[in-house]
């Protein structure tokens, strides 16, 4: 009876719906590595931070757009495509900062800050819209929280503020460890996939 109850709770748990623990662990590990790099070199990492986050935002937006095209019947399709458009636009603008004559580091930082906040808020709106269907995606909430905090930090301070870089690095490490821990939690609590149709069921032991 206890085993049946536990299996029922695992199958109905909101974090079990479509959660890819491998992706969460990979994203968390990347954040930890980036955070360590920033903390180790806060003075020289300010430009690298901005360009790297913008590049990740651009790639992530492209993935969201492709998934939206493949899964056109999702309730939050419009929100996801709008979020992908904002992320792709902001990411492209900031990535091209180094070759632009009209965009300086300060303006690029402000654009990225507001872009990350808008990107995160739209992600949270999508979670609300799809909660009944997909459950509560803890990983997406953690990433959205990270984007909001980093976006707010980009909107504060001066361009040569090394303390802001250090804070961003520490926050990246903390959020990265949270993603890794959650991914490990999902891996340990993952239910095995059901047998495919036509696959013979192993006979039970007579003992």
């Amino acid at each position: 009876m206890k085993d049946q109850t536990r299996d029922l709770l695992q199958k109905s748990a909101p974090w079990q719906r479509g959660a890819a623990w491998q992706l969460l662990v990979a994203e968390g590990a990347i954040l930890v590595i980036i955070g360590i790099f920033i903390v180790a070199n806060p003075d020289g990492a300010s430009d690298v931070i901005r360009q790297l986050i913008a590049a990740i935002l651009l790639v992530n937006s492209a993935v969201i757009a492709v998934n939206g095209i493949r899964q056109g019947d999702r309730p939050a399709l419009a929100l996801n495509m709008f979020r992908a458009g904002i992320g792709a636009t902001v990411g492209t603008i900031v990535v091209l900062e180094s070759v632009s004559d009209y965009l300086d580091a300060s303006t690029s930082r402000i654009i990225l800050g507001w872009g990350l906040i808008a990107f995160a808020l739209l992600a949270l709106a999508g979670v609300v819209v799809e909660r009944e269907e997909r459950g509560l995606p803890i990983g997406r909430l953690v990433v959205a929280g990270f984007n909001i905090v980093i976006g707010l930090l980009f909107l504060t301070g001066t361009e040569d503020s090394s303390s802001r870089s250090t804070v961003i690095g520490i926050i990246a490490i903390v959020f990265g460890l949270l993603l890794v821990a959650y991914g490990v939690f999902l891996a340990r609590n993952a239910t095995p996939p059901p047998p495919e149709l036509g696959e013979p069921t192993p006979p039970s032991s007579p003992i």
Side-chain angles (χ1 to χ4, degrees), residues 39-175:
V39 172
N41 185 24
D43 294 327
S46 58
D47 292 335
V48 177
I49 296 170
R50 195 167 55 252
Q51 296 291 322
L52 185 58
I53 292 179
I56 294 174
L57 182 63
L58 179 59
V59 173
N60 195 11
S61 300
V63 172
I64 293 172
V66 171
N67 289 337
I69 295 175
R70 291 179 177 177
Q71 305 172 357
D73 57 343
R74 290 178 56 177
L77 176 62
L79 281 172
N80 288 334
M81 297 303 288
F82 185 42
R83 179 163 67 109
I86 290 179
T89 302
V90 172
T92 301
I93 291 174
V94 178
V95 166
L96 295 178
E97 170 201 337
S98 58
V99 297
S100 174
D101 297 330
Y102 305 98
L103 189 66
D104 57 13
S106 179
T107 305
S108 176
R109 173 171 57 84
I110 298 299
I111 292 174
L112 183 59
W114 283 116
L116 286 173
I117 294 173
F119 192 79
L121 292 178
L122 288 171
L124 295 177
V127 169
V128 174
V129 171
E130 295 184 335
R131 189 180 179 206
E132 293 297 328
E133 177 183 342
R134 300 176 62 88
L136 190 63
I138 305 298
R140 190 186 299 181
L141 295 179
V142 172
V143 174
F146 173 78
N147 286 335
I148 290 175
V149 173
I150 297 301
L152 290 174
L153 285 174
F154 275 134
L155 297 177
T156 61
T158 59
E159 189 55 38
D160 56 351
S161 176
S162 61
S163 60
R164 181 180 60 230
S165 299
T166 302
V167 173
I168 291 176
I170 295 174
I171 291 174
I173 294 174
V174 172
F175 276 86

